[in-house]
Amino acid sequence: MPAQTGMTIDARAPDHPTRDAGFGIYLHWPFCASKCPYCDFNSHVRHAGVDEARFLAAFRSEIAHTAARTPDRTVSSIFLGGGTPSLMKPETVAGLLDAVAGAWSIAPEVEVTLEANPTSVEAERFRGYRAAGVNRVSLGVQALNDTDLKALGRLHSVDEALSAVRTAAAHFERYSFDLIYARPKQTPEAWRAELSEAIAHAAEHLSLYQLTIEPGTPFFGLAQAGRLVPPDDEDARVLYDVTQEVCEKAGLPAYEISNHARPGAQSRHNLLYWRYGEYAGIGPGAHGRLVQPEGRLGTVTEKLPEAWLTRVERDGHGIVETEKLVPDDEGDEFLMMGLRLKEGIDPARYTVLKGRALDRKRLETLIADGLVAMTPTGNVAATPRGAPVLNALVTELSGQV
């Protein structure tokens, strides 16, 4: 990446109540070596290979198009997600980051995260990513049990996963990895042991997701046929409680419902989402939230990689949907995202976005029931009891029932 500049915001940039949450760039690389049976992300397998040079040129075009719509921004975080971005050559990653740095100012403390799978981790490749400007990696470990890794459709073993973590630690001061729990037949005792082992290898951050059965995935079909039986709600709650207990004792408390970190080690890019900041979504199937003179816009790009590529080469961008968000939408999104955070939401900011305050009676009822609480800073936050039923809290507070 070119030399970084100081963080300044030009007075001409549109004013908006979420501008101070930052400006991020999400770059979606949609290709994987294989499709996991639980995954409903926009990811695709291309056995014939990928023309990285052609895709890089298209990414550059879409970056330039988006930058023209968002001048005078300073990028505080960049996230290369997928798919499997670690399948890219380091030179391609360098080209993407150079394009971002050429389009916007870059904050001196910018966080640049790249997602990687253990099967694609090589020391030489990681050295190349570090030289390109990546300063944080997130590894898709998913399990520390070979039987469950196979059931999840993962291509790596536990030994390969831990080797990848060691390689990441050798090249990056900041790294994280993911695990999936609430897997079929998983017991609290087994999860406690597995999580404790994971923490022994985690420097600062873990993402711990409950397995969800998404429509359209192979796991959904297996579940419908009774061939896959995940834990019921009660058993999943026990596993959730084990997660909180073990991580808290180890010094990695939850700062978001599925993310745990040592103090100061939170993912800045994901915090930008949850704090309802502004971000550009670049690449096939990417979503963005851009603040424009007419208000906050939601953008969506073409999902199919080849169709996105053709569209960008023709039009300069792959955006297929742009929606101006009305106050109701903004308030509800802010509530849905922000209540995931342990810090909660600023009710005054909600009032500005929604156009009306939170309903006092509903709020008081939820507080009396021990599901939400007021923090010392005046925020509204879900309690440990309320966090597992977050969707119901959002529905109640938003006035949808």
Side-chain angles (χ1 to χ4, degrees):
M1 296 173 70
Q4 297 168 359
T5 63
M7 182 178 286
T8 58
I9 297 179
D10 192 289
R12 293 172 298 165
D15 189 24
H16 191 272
T18 57
R19 282 295 311 282
D20 59 355
F23 180 70
I25 307 297
Y26 176 74
L27 303 165
H28 189 79
W29 188 256
F31 302 109
C32 283
S34 67
K35 184 78 171 179
C36 296
Y38 57 85
C39 178
D40 70 337
F41 292 168
N42 186 39
S43 58
H44 305 265
V45 178
R46 296 291 182 264
H47 296 298
V50 176
D51 187 341
E52 291 192 26
R54 187 180 173 194
F55 271 91
L56 175 57
F59 270 92
R60 285 174 170 151
S61 294
E62 191 160 80
I63 287 168
H65 171 84
T66 305
R69 302 178 69 189
T70 55
D72 311 313
R73 305 296 201 275
T74 295
V75 176
S76 56
S77 66
I78 303 168
F79 196 100
L80 294 96
T84 308
S86 56
L87 293 175
M88 279 188 278
K89 300 172 185 175
E91 295 81 5
T92 303
V93 172
L96 290 171
L97 297 180
D98 285 348
V100 172
W104 292 281
S105 295
I106 306 295
E109 70 279 15
V110 65
E111 176 188 87
V112 184
T113 301
L114 179 138
E115 288 185 332
N117 274 345
T119 48
S120 58
V121 169
E122 301 171 7
E124 188 62 35
R125 190 182 289 256
F126 266 29
R127 276 192 287 269
Y129 295 149
R130 189 71 186 88
V134 174
N135 55 29
R136 182 178 181 271
V137 294
S138 178
L139 293 162
V141 171
Q142 312 309 7
L144 293 178
N145 173 303
D146 281 330
T147 299
D148 284 359
L149 282 173
K150 184 176 180 180
L152 290 170
R154 307 299 288 171
L155 299 180
H156 60 271
S157 65
V158 171
D159 286 344
E160 287 174 313
L162 294 180
S163 176
V165 171
R166 290 190 293 270
T167 300
H171 291 87
F172 298 93
E173 291 185 6
R174 302 191 63 206
Y175 65 92
S176 175
F177 58 89
D178 302 351
L179 293 177
I180 295 173
Y181 69 99
R183 307 190 298 259
K185 299 181 181 179
Q186 188 176 40
T187 66
E189 295 74 22
W191 173 231
R192 184 184 296 274
E194 184 175 346
L195 183 54
S196 298
E197 181 183 2
I199 289 171
H201 298 278
E204 61 170 28
H205 192 286
L206 282 172
S207 296
L208 306 170
Y209 302 106
Q210 286 194 32
L211 177 65
T212 55
I213 308 300
E214 302 290 353
T217 64
F219 267 15
F220 184 81
L222 291 173
Q224 292 289 94
R227 295 170 56 195
L228 183 148
V229 183
D232 60 23
D233 290 346
E234 184 175 338
D235 289 339
R237 174 59 193 266
V238 172
L239 293 167
Y240 172 84
D241 289 341
V242 168
T243 304
Q244 309 315 305
E245 175 199 337
V246 172
C247 289
E248 186 82 32
K249 286 182 178 178
L252 287 116
Y255 68 96
E256 188 269 345
I257 196 164
S258 300
N259 285 270
H260 301 252
R262 303 195 189 282
Q266 297 91 337
S267 166
R268 298 172 202 162
H269 188 82
N270 286 338
L271 279 176
L272 184 148
Y273 291 153
W274 296 319
R275 289 172 175 165
Y276 206 48
E278 184 185 15
Y279 56 95
I282 309 292
H287 291 236
R289 290 292 184 271
L290 303 178
V291 178
Q292 300 286 275
E294 64 269 33
R296 188 177 177 95
L297 304 181
T299 63
V300 182
T301 59
E302 166 62 48
K303 290 181 65 174
L304 186 65
E306 290 76 16
W308 173 84
L309 186 63
T310 299
R311 188 179 287 270
V312 174
E313 290 174 338
R314 185 190 67 209
D315 301 332
H317 66 87
I319 296 172
V320 293
E321 181 181 333
T322 300
E323 177 188 7
K324 183 182 183 301
L325 301 178
V326 299
D328 264 358
D329 295 333
E330 292 193 273
D332 291 349
E333 282 191 349
F334 176 70
L335 190 65
M336 179 178 65
M337 300 298 282
L339 279 183
R340 295 182 65 88
L341 289 169
K342 187 176 182 180
E343 69 188 35
I345 63 145
D346 177 357
R349 176 171 283 185
Y350 174 85
T351 300
V352 172
L353 289 166
K354 185 81 170 182
R356 61 174 171 81
L358 290 167
D359 185 278
R360 181 174 295 276
K361 288 185 178 180
R362 289 172 183 259
L363 182 58
E364 289 175 349
T365 298
L366 292 173
I367 291 173
D369 290 343
L371 298 173
V372 302
M374 301 299 296
T375 72
T377 62
N379 278 8
V380 175
T383 64
R385 182 182 172 193
V389 291
L390 197 63
N391 289 341
L393 297 185
V394 171
T395 299
E396 179 67 23
L397 284 172
S398 66
Q400 296 177 23
V401 293

